[in-house]
Amino acid sequence: MRVREYLDQFPSAAPVTFIKQAAGGTYSTTPIHSAWEWLDNDDFCDDYIVINDDHPPIDVNGGWTIRYRSGRLHCAMITTEAELLKHYGEKQGRDMIAYYERPID
């Protein structure tokens, strides 16, 4: 699923953060924004693929993790098609993209 589909399942004011996965095993955490604020960014919502829709935030102080565990913060791990292809190669990357974009029942 794409980020847009992920965000559509929450109320517009729901706080959401993302962990961006990049090739080479690097990760970065986005700031917390409400779902509607993320949905205002078409490029972000349509370019990123959700690879784990329920992942705790990377949080050194613990405050975000407490909010996440209590259900007051949503967090997903995301990446782009280009990163998957660069890191895994054409065949495996395309297989992974198809897997992540499959409909979820």
Side-chain angles (χ1 to χ4, degrees):
M1 96 176 92
R2 297 287 172 157
V3 166
R4 181 176 307 285
E5 296 166 286
Y6 174 77
L7 292 169
D8 282 341
Q9 66 186 329
F10 302 118
S12 63
V16 182
T17 186
F18 295 97
I19 301 167
K20 292 181 184 179
Q21 179 190 31
T26 61
Y27 300 90
S28 62
T29 303
T30 66
I32 296 173
H33 291 296
S34 63
W36 73 265
E37 289 174 300
W38 288 117
L39 287 166
D40 265 357
N41 186 337
D42 290 335
D43 290 339
F44 180 81
C45 289
D46 297 329
D47 290 350
Y48 280 89
I49 300 168
V50 176
I51 57 176
N52 186 335
D53 67 347
D54 190 15
H55 195 286
I58 299 171
D59 176 24
V60 293
N61 295 325
W64 288 17
T65 302
I66 291 168
R67 289 176 65 189
Y68 168 79
R69 286 184 180 157
S70 69
R72 294 178 293 143
L73 175 64
H74 305 284
C75 183
M77 185 174 288
I78 60 175
T79 194
T80 63
E81 285 186 22
E83 290 296 335
L84 287 172
L85 295 173
K86 183 166 58 172
H87 187 69
Y88 295 103
E90 186 69 27
K91 174 155 181 16
Q92 186 177 358
R94 292 280 170 216
D95 289 346
M96 293 173 80
I97 292 165
Y99 176 80
Y100 293 133
E101 289 189 338
R102 76 198 185 290
I104 298 176
D105 298 327

